[in-house]
Amino acid sequence: MLAMDQGVVEEWLSEYKTLPDSAVSAYAASLKDKGALVPALYKVIRENYSELLEPVCHQLFEFYRSGEPQLQRFTLQFLPELLWSLLSVSAARDPHTSGCVQALLLGIYNLEIVDKDGQSKVLSFTVPSLSKPSVYHEPSTIGPMALTEGALANHGLSRVIYSGPLFQRENFTAQNRFEVLTFLLLCYNAALSYMSSISLQSLCHISSRVCICGYPRQQIRRYKGISARMTVTSEFLVQLLTGIHYALCNGEAELGSKALDDVLYRAQLELFPEALLMGNAIKSTQQGAALKNNSKEGARSIQVEITPTASRISRNAVTSLSIRGHRWKRHESQEASVDSDGTAGGVANPDINVTGAGSERLPNGDSVRPRSDGEAAEAGTDPRSHDSGRGQEVRRQKSVRRMVENETSGSASVGRSQY
């Protein structure tokens, strides 16, 4: 460790101890401006025999115990590296070098499983319904679902799963190690949107190392660290995949893809159905959806199908009302053309053959043709016939034509008398 990094860490350790309680919030907001502090703390955690490791772990626990959200998130960003430090030491069977790391992780765990009153928490999770769309799926892509009585009864209902209460732990054992680590990863994933890029990179690195150590893929990855196999659980891999999925969509596509392949590799070897299901789902969305931004600047998003709205569905729907509206529009357009071509003094003078000869068309789109006596009798007995409407339209047109002719003849006679 360089002397400059050691000086940065020592200054950080000393300045927090002299802060009054009223200045903690301002100090927490100023930590993000110290760019050299976080890399220096990572170096301390990675060196298991560093003399600064114990005071650093103690101060990180003080940060978390303070209850200040920004200080708690500052501590959580080192959680992947702390988990790797614990697991690597456990695999090397040298637990005495990680006593302060174990105390820090157990302290965070015991603080998170209780509320402010000291009562054990019971966590609740809502399982989404496949019949409703989400950012991960569309019901139309799953296929037609049978509308059975049971499916209709369960439509819109949400299942709630409860977890807890959890028990406090005083030390790590082979039985409770991954129970504690899985819960800590759950707390880390709850604050993923606040994690820095270096924390996401650390998560991807330790995911790959935990899954391939002691297996043939370790030689492919050319990782020369610990060669002992590490025991994992399906729940632990699921929490790792949650963080990897976020890293994939937020600037760490290369490391996230490699970590995803390694976790799937280990899940296949261990035959973990939950991890296989989630890992393959993430991989299929990664292959089927294009990511908008290829650079590491800013967050990326996954393209999904948007459920069409009601207006979009009914825009092209053919109904009886739309047919009637279409006929009225056509009737109005034809009347407008008659007004523009054959008007006399502002009064329409339509050229309509009312004698019934030929096959002339009326303004409403119907045709007038001669009918035989049988057809006329049949039309008169059919209650659904529209002949009565046609007859009224013809009579109206005849009256309009007579009125126009009368006005024209009257104006002509007045002109002759004046002359």
Side-chain angles (χ1 to χ4, degrees):
M1 186 176 182
L2 298 177
M4 181 179 62
D5 295 332
Q6 184 174 356
V8 171
V9 174
E10 290 177 351
E11 180 182 359
W12 172 72
L13 290 172
S14 60
E15 64 182 355
Y16 180 72
K17 297 177 181 179
T18 59
L19 283 177
D21 295 338
S22 58
V24 172
S25 299
Y27 172 76
S30 65
L31 283 177
K32 61 182 180 181
D33 299 329
K34 300 181 179 181
L37 176 61
V38 173
L41 290 177
Y42 269 101
K43 292 179 181 179
V44 172
I45 297 173
R46 289 165 184 168
E47 296 180 4
N48 292 328
Y49 296 95
S50 175
E51 60 182 6
L52 293 175
L53 181 59
E54 184 174 352
V56 164
C57 290
H58 177 74
Q59 181 141 320
L60 289 176
F61 178 70
E62 292 294 329
F63 276 11
Y64 208 89
R65 190 171 61 175
S66 66
E68 180 67 29
Q70 294 184 359
L71 292 181
Q72 290 180 340
R73 292 194 289 265
F74 182 84
T75 302
L76 281 177
Q77 69 177 326
F78 302 102
L79 186 62
E81 203 65 38
L82 293 169
L83 294 182
W84 170 248
S85 178
L86 175 65
L87 292 175
S88 61
V89 170
S90 301
R93 301 183 183 278
D94 188 13
H96 300 288
T97 60
S98 63
C100 55
V101 175
Q102 292 186 27
L104 172 59
L105 295 177
L106 286 173
I108 297 175
Y109 169 81
N110 290 328
L111 287 174
E112 282 293 336
I113 63 173
V114 295
D115 54 14
K116 296 181 179 180
D117 299 330
Q119 303 295 326
S120 297
K121 291 182 181 178
V122 178
L123 304 179
S124 60
F125 305 90
T126 302
V127 179
S129 174
L130 292 179
S131 62
K132 293 185 177 181
S134 68
V135 296
Y136 297 104
H137 83 288
E138 280 290 330
S140 58
T141 60
I142 300 176
M145 301 180 65
L147 294 178
T148 60
E149 184 178 355
L152 293 175
N154 294 328
H155 178 72
L157 297 180
S158 58
R159 294 178 55 195
V160 180
I161 298 177
Y162 298 95
S163 175
L166 299 176
F167 300 100
Q168 292 190 354
R169 304 297 181 182
E170 296 181 358
N171 51 22
F172 280 103
T173 62
Q175 288 77 21
N176 65 19
R177 179 183 295 116
F178 280 97
E179 177 188 345
V180 175
L181 298 184
T182 302
F183 183 80
L184 291 176
L185 277 178
L186 178 66
C187 299
Y188 176 83
N189 291 333
L192 271 175
S193 58
Y194 300 99
M195 296 298 110
S196 59
S197 60
I198 188 172
S199 181
L200 296 177
Q201 293 172 9
S202 175
L203 176 67
C204 295
H205 281 304
I206 71 114
S207 299
S208 295
R209 291 178 179 180
V210 167
C211 293
I212 67 175
C213 281
Y215 290 91
R217 181 167 285 199
Q218 183 177 3
Q219 304 299 327
I220 300 176
R221 293 282 188 260
R222 296 181 180 180
Y223 172 62
K224 298 181 180 179
I226 299 173
S227 58
R229 296 183 180 182
M230 298 183 183
T231 304
V232 294
T233 61
S234 181
E235 294 80 8
F236 182 77
L237 294 185
V238 166
Q239 295 301 327
L240 287 180
L241 287 171
T242 303
I244 291 171
H245 189 199
Y246 182 84
L248 272 171
C249 302
N250 290 273
E252 302 299 334
E254 183 178 356
L255 287 177
S257 299
K258 187 182 296 184
L260 177 61
D261 291 338
D262 293 336
V263 173
L264 278 174
Y265 170 76
R266 183 62 181 273
Q268 291 172 357
L269 293 176
E270 301 286 352
L271 296 178
F272 289 148
E274 297 86 358
L276 285 172
L277 179 63
M278 184 174 181
N280 288 324
I282 296 174
K283 197 166 186 178
S284 64
T285 57
Q286 182 188 10
Q287 295 173 353
L291 297 178
K292 292 183 179 180
N293 187 10
N294 292 326
S295 64
K296 291 188 177 182
E297 298 296 332
R300 290 190 275 182
S301 58
I302 300 175
Q303 296 178 356
V304 295
E305 180 185 356
I306 303 299
T307 305
T309 58
S311 59
R312 177 180 169 186
I313 295 174
S314 62
R315 184 179 301 171
N316 299 324
V318 179
T319 61
S320 59
L321 181 61
S322 65
I323 294 175
R324 289 196 297 270
H326 177 69
R327 294 184 63 180
W328 279 110
K329 288 180 181 178
R330 186 173 60 181
H331 178 61
E332 292 174 358
S333 63
Q334 290 182 359
E335 286 185 348
S337 63
V338 170
D339 291 339
S340 60
D341 295 337
T343 57
V347 180
N349 186 16
D351 186 11
I352 300 176
N353 187 2
V354 298
T355 62
S359 180
E360 299 294 331
R361 300 194 64 84
L362 295 176
N364 61 355
D366 297 326
S367 62
V368 178
R369 62 181 180 84
R371 291 175 178 267
S372 61
D373 295 337
E375 290 179 348
E378 182 180 358
T381 57
D382 188 4
R384 296 173 297 178
S385 176
H386 298 282
D387 288 349
S388 59
R390 295 195 185 113
Q392 292 177 3
E393 180 68 19
V394 171
R395 287 193 294 272
R396 188 180 68 84
Q397 296 294 342
K398 289 174 66 177
S399 62
V400 170
R401 186 173 180 177
R402 288 175 182 174
M403 181 169 45
V404 172
E405 291 176 354
N406 293 333
E407 290 179 358
T408 305
S409 60
S411 61
S413 61
V414 170
R416 286 194 300 271
S417 61
Q418 290 178 355
Y419 179 77

